[in-house]
Amino acid sequence: LRMSDLQDVVRFGAEAEIFVIGGELIYRALLPWCDEIIMTHVKDSPQGDTFFPPFEEEFDSGVALRENSQIKIVCYYCSESSR
């Protein structure tokens, strides 16, 4: 399912699980409605000028789901105190 209106995404998300696949502006717009983030951390220092927006104040420290020599996949849950 592909949606182009953020309001439709928010309404749909009230009844179903949604996975958001960037970019930065979309992440930033939908982050207030997220209760979980599954993030892949790349163990390298690639060049770039666009990054995931700050989220650490609203989410608890992450739980590692999978890790190898190149990546680490972490799940972050929304803090109860931020809701």
Side-chain angles (χ1 to χ4, degrees):
L1 179 60
R2 184 176 178 188
M3 295 185 180
S4 58
D5 183 338
L6 291 180
Q7 294 300 331
D8 287 342
V9 173
V10 171
R11 281 192 295 274
F12 185 79
E15 299 177 17
E17 186 174 47
I18 296 177
F19 291 86
V20 178
I21 303 173
E24 181 188 7
L25 295 176
I26 294 171
Y27 290 140
R28 193 173 298 280
L30 291 174
L31 194 56
W33 287 280
C34 293
D35 56 9
E36 179 180 300
I37 298 171
I38 300 173
M39 183 178 294
T40 302
H41 297 271
V42 178
K43 296 180 179 180
D44 195 0
S45 299
Q47 296 297 315
D49 61 358
T50 304
F51 301 93
F52 196 85
F55 66 95
E56 293 83 359
E57 289 186 18
E58 290 84 23
F59 288 80
D60 292 327
S61 57
V63 175
L65 301 177
R66 186 171 294 156
E67 184 171 8
N68 63 33
S69 63
Q70 297 176 329
I71 64 168
K72 182 176 183 180
I73 301 173
V74 180
C75 185
Y76 299 92
Y77 297 97
C78 185
S79 305
E80 289 298 318
S81 61
S82 67
R83 292 287 166 166

